[in-house]
Amino acid sequence: MGTKLDFVILGLDCESAQQLWNAALSELGRLDGMLDRFKPSSEVSRINASPNPLEFPRSREMETVLTLCSEYRSATGGLFDVRAGGEYDFG
């Protein structure tokens, strides 16, 4: 999604830290596959390409993500908004 992330893992032995790191990378890859608007196969890309994105069928997880984003948008007075130029953009 073009977003930089930094991880700091403290207090674990090397093997446990590596397992945690691998799990985090796996989850980030999964989320990137769902939320990257530049990947034609991603759910958000398919929603954005739809003639009517607001009525496009969404997975339960995507619906949860969008609901939370709407709540954050309200809580921040619109400063947090995943809609950019009429499309969803999680980058």
Side-chain angles (χ1 to χ4, degrees):
M1 292 181 290
T3 301
K4 181 182 180 213
L5 297 171
D6 293 315
F7 280 87
V8 178
I9 301 172
L10 301 172
L12 295 177
D13 60 85
C14 285
E15 185 177 332
S16 297
Q18 187 63 51
Q19 288 175 354
L20 181 60
W21 174 249
N22 291 342
L25 285 180
S26 177
E27 180 63 4
L28 287 171
R30 187 186 74 77
L31 290 172
D32 187 63
M34 181 176 84
L35 300 173
D36 188 335
R37 71 183 182 104
F38 298 109
K39 290 184 179 177
S41 62
S42 76
E43 186 171 2
V44 75
S45 185
R46 293 190 323 268
I47 291 170
N48 286 340
S50 169
N52 194 345
L54 297 176
E55 293 184 16
F56 188 86
R58 300 175 175 99
S59 67
R60 177 183 287 169
E61 184 175 26
M62 180 61 79
E63 197 59 47
T64 299
V65 167
L66 294 176
T67 297
L68 287 170
C69 288
S70 178
E71 291 172 8
Y72 296 148
R73 183 181 183 279
S74 294
T76 63
L79 295 175
F80 179 89
D81 193 353
V82 296
R83 300 278 300 189
E87 292 189 344
Y88 292 110
D89 182 352
F90 292 92

